Amino acid sequence: MNEQLRVLVVSHAHPTVSLGGAEIASHNLHRGLNALPDVRSVYLARVGHPVPRHAASALMSFRLAEDELLFHTDDYDHFLLSNGDTQAITRDLLRFARDLRPHVVHFHHVLGIGLEALYALREAFPHAAILVTFHEYLSICHNHGQMVKRPAGQLCETASPIACHGCFPDIPVSDFLKRELFARGMLGLADAFVSPSRFLAERYIKWGVEEDKVCVIENGIAVEAAAPARELQGPKQRRNRFAYFGQMTPFKGVDVLIDAILRVPKDIWGDDSCLMIFGGNLERQPVEFQERMKKLIADAGQRVRFYGAYQNADVPRLMRSVDWVVLPSVWWENSPVVIQEALLHRRPMICSDIGGMAEKVRNGQDGLHFRAGSSQDLADRIVEVLGDNQTWDRLRASMRQPADHLGCARDHFKLYRTLLRQKRDAAMAENPALLSHPL
Amino acid sequence: MLVTEQSPAVANPMAVKHGASRTLRPGKVIGCRVDETTLLIIGLGRVLAGEAVAREVIVGVEGDQAGTRSAFVSEWRLAAPSPRAKHGFAALLPTGATDRAITTIRFGDEETSARYIFTPRLVSAEEAAAIVAETAGPQSDAVIDRLVDVLMAGNLDRRGLLTITALLQAAHPNDGFIELIGESHEGTTFLQGWSRGIAPGPCRVSVVGNATPVAWECNIAVFPRPDAPDGAAGFVGLLPATKDARARDIEGLVFRARAGWRYAAVHPRKRFVGPLETPEHVRSILPRTHGAPDALLSLRSAANSFDGKETVSSLPFPVRMGIDNIFEADGGKLLASGWLYDPDAHVAEVRLRRFDGSVRLDERWTRLDRPDVTDSFNDQQHFAPSIRGELRAHGFIAHAKLPSEDHGSPLYFELTLRDSRRAFLPVKPTRISARLAALRQIGSIDPTNNALPAIVDAQIVPFLAKSERSTPVTDAVLDVGAFNQESTPPIVIGAGEGEENISPLLALLALDPETRRAPIVIAMPADRFRRQAARLKELARFYGLSARFVSAKEAGDFYDMLEAGTLALSCETVVSLSASLVPRGRGWYGKLLATAATLKGSMISPVLAYEDHSIRWAGNWIDGDGDDVPVVGRYAGYPLKAVTAMKLTRIAAASLECCVMPRDALSRAGGFAGGYLGAQEKGLDLGLRLNRSGISSYLLPSVQMWGCDDARDWDNPATATLVEEIDRKIFKIEWSPVIAGEKHAEKRPA
């Protein structure tokens, strides 16, 4: 194939609007692809209320770069992952796609855009390679895709209509059955699935996605100069600056972290240790959670400093004052960007021993594990590292390199080529006349 | 010959009389036809021997009806005797229908008896009466009376009765009139008028006005009528309820008064009083009447009849009644619930009435506790039960059946107290299907109420049994894409009351290449259709499906929708699919059709599985030994693997929730039964009937569908349990005898 590879990357939100890991990852992929020769990528992100839609079509922009575009949707059924505005998909999305004539359509999320978009693009481009990257378990789990039970928050191992009804007693079993079959059926139209972690991949395979179609490719970040280690000052030189980076959702375990901090005995904590919380989106959480967090932070007094939201571009600067990065999530996590960032800046991590965190943070090499949800166990870990400086040095030396986004883009590119070749071979086997037909 | 108020006889008796004397000659007789079988003969002469003035005589007749027969003869001395004749006579001759063939008549059986020749022209009854009046003078009343006596004793038809009324009116003109006719809800008719001859007491009357005269004992009471001609009294009486005599058809009464037979015609300016006013009218006149105690009692009862007003709440006893629900389904089937507070047992009977239909409730109702009623009345001093009063279950539920012709008559409760007074409570029934009535009723009973099993067995199940059901009516059809029902058998999807969102099902059908190409019919209730048709149309377009959306006029479940969907097609075979099912994998459609191709005209169903991989349905079998449940779903609840390797199997009933079948199978078997509340037995019932109507039923275990039971069908789980129980009972009542009969037949030696 000599012509330029045309890729359409579809994201559920644009990073300038929304600060999640999936947005960043999909946008990094797009930029990484465009940095490769012979690849042209276009980025399409969904946008919705309160942004007003144009009258002329669902397509719009935010004065973005030329190769980025927004698609407005408002008729989205969260439960079924379904977009009710099939007219807009036909009229606007397909119109744009037909002009683009992509070889590859790569969905990161169907959230907001709907599984119908997948169906429509599959119908319109039978020879294109369609991929879906999973960033969490939304297709499997209606509880924000976290696979954590309601209301108590226990970790969930397997979804089933009856089990899901247990978490949502108002939603009948039959609706969960339909959700499962609809999601799996529509996703089955894709040619390949990408997961940033093996853990998540295994979950999807267990759920019923074809194993042959699943690959694991780590989310890459834009690699820059690593922030230097924090300068140690004063008589008692300890690596005692802990930081949390991320969103302030109930699944992130910030309350576990603060509780752990408070359990550390005074004489061990001393008076210059500190936990810094860089957390955004607290104002979007349920009110009672917001109240609880504010109270916890206030009660923690001097030990905890809350800095509010941050931009990704700020991270290198913020890392300068950090020794340890803590990931106390009470859900499985897939591939948090902060892990890559911590690896880049060589800040050892302390994280829950489950899911993607446990996979990506090798215990004793990239960081230390603690029992998920247990503030006592986390407190013990903090006490251990406060008592022994060498742990930090040792881990810093054994931490691995992060994946960079250009490498990630190259991995994707290889995958695209393989898929296209397979499809072409299969099509020719059915109908040799296609040999002359341009893709 | 009909007598009317305007007949010349009544208007001008004198004119007739003069003519009469000219026509009667010795040796000749004049005939007057009374009715088809009787001829009145008048002549001059002496035909009776001895002192008798009236008796049966053998007569000989010549002419076409020659022969002897017996005739009644009444004889009199002429008022003005002449040398040729001193006596006159009248005879009633039984004859055939033709009246011209008799030529002569001879009285007595000796050859020497006098013979008379018939005057060719027959006379009218008025003329005959005039002749008798003229010739018999003062005796004419007695003569006519005797004749009428004999006629009234025989088999009379309307014509005969009219002849009698003419005779009587001619003999006693202006003897009296009926001036007011009052209808009642109970069907009895109240009459009021004046008459010279009438007397209080029981009185045999014949009502003139309908095809077949009917005679009754009528209890007459009288009251003073100063405005009536001298000697006349006002009278009132009650005619019993009957379909044969409608109040509006009454033309007059023939009755036996003190002085003999009389006729009272309905006055041309009569008043007609409707059922709601009659009781009050009777009440107003009753104080002035006097008569036999029986008559007054029945009149008092009529005075206290239902006049449209509620009278229970004004009873001077602690008796009160309230109605919570009263439902009426097709065929006059009623289901009522309410409470009757009667701690001192004043009420002897409770009836539900409409027009002349009446059904006694207190012998067939089921009672239940109503603590709210008890509490409410305990607070009211004058309602607290007396010392002897018992604690009772005040509530009641009853089912009944009344004739349902629509007179516009009101429906009402009638309480008869021990002192025989009556009180009434009119009600307005809600007209809905038996099914909805039963559902609303059981929905309003506390599930923990210990009277519930009795209510179900004694009231709900009988109410529902043998309910009628009307075929669903489609009121709109919308096609999307080129809908071609002949290409491959259409998939008919029924989206009943519980299934709100069928878009995932449409997507799954689109994802399967076999079903993507199949024509798809989706039937749903009309209000859903209105709300969703546009959206579904767009979805069908988006997925590239060829679909027909059918709107069914009334709400219903999957089965009703399935029936409506098949009615909107004309092809030979269809594949039914409930919207609550989801296909398990692809290729199910092709497999079902391939199997159906080898078994023409049969029904084939796949296995239905729960989402937890256990079996929901895998065929129905007639249970060989079980008496309790005649038909079983043998593999229900087993792991799916237990049946998936089975081969195609013959079964007693396929599942209409998913099967390939002849399109007209449903209507051929008579459609779904109307009495079931839920879906399970309803489908099973029809499945059994289809199998028995010659459509073999099969299970194809290599194909499976997912499906769930949804509690959302009912408001609460208690209702769901109750519905299942009721349906099982109805099913058992319906099918146990049939199945037992077949088992019996099989066991009999050849």
PDB file of all heavy atoms in Angstrom, chain A residues 98 359 395:
ATOM      1  N   ARG A  98     -17.083  10.048   4.680  1.00  0.00           N
ATOM      2  CA  ARG A  98     -16.966   9.680   3.262  1.00  0.00           C
ATOM      3  C   ARG A  98     -15.990  10.581   2.535  1.00  0.00           C
ATOM      4  O   ARG A  98     -15.289  10.147   1.624  1.00  0.00           O
ATOM      5  CB  ARG A  98     -18.339   9.732   2.590  1.00  0.00           C
ATOM      6  CG  ARG A  98     -19.148   8.520   2.912  1.00  0.00           C
ATOM      7  CD  ARG A  98     -20.292   8.320   1.935  1.00  0.00           C
ATOM      8  NE  ARG A  98     -21.124   7.248   2.445  1.00  0.00           N
ATOM      9  CZ  ARG A  98     -22.260   7.422   3.117  1.00  0.00           C
ATOM     10  NH1 ARG A  98     -22.723   8.636   3.316  1.00  0.00           N
ATOM     11  NH2 ARG A  98     -22.916   6.383   3.578  1.00  0.00           N
ATOM     12  N   GLU A 359      -0.458  -4.327  37.890  1.00  0.00           N
ATOM     13  CA  GLU A 359       0.243  -4.811  36.692  1.00  0.00           C
ATOM     14  C   GLU A 359       1.379  -3.882  36.310  1.00  0.00           C
ATOM     15  O   GLU A 359       2.470  -4.310  35.951  1.00  0.00           O
ATOM     16  CB  GLU A 359      -0.768  -4.919  35.543  1.00  0.00           C
ATOM     17  CG  GLU A 359      -0.215  -5.424  34.231  1.00  0.00           C
ATOM     18  CD  GLU A 359      -1.298  -5.453  33.148  1.00  0.00           C
ATOM     19  OE1 GLU A 359      -2.431  -5.879  33.471  1.00  0.00           O
ATOM     20  OE2 GLU A 359      -1.015  -5.055  32.010  1.00  0.00           O
ATOM     21  N   LEU A 395      14.329   1.959  44.631  1.00  0.00           N
ATOM     22  CA  LEU A 395      13.227   1.906  43.674  1.00  0.00           C
ATOM     23  C   LEU A 395      13.493   2.847  42.499  1.00  0.00           C
ATOM     24  O   LEU A 395      13.282   2.497  41.328  1.00  0.00           O
ATOM     25  CB  LEU A 395      11.916   2.303  44.359  1.00  0.00           C
ATOM     26  CG  LEU A 395      11.350   1.284  45.355  1.00  0.00           C
ATOM     27  CD1 LEU A 395      10.182   1.883  46.116  1.00  0.00           C
ATOM     28  CD2 LEU A 395      10.906   0.022  44.638  1.00  0.00           C
TER      29      LEU A 395
END
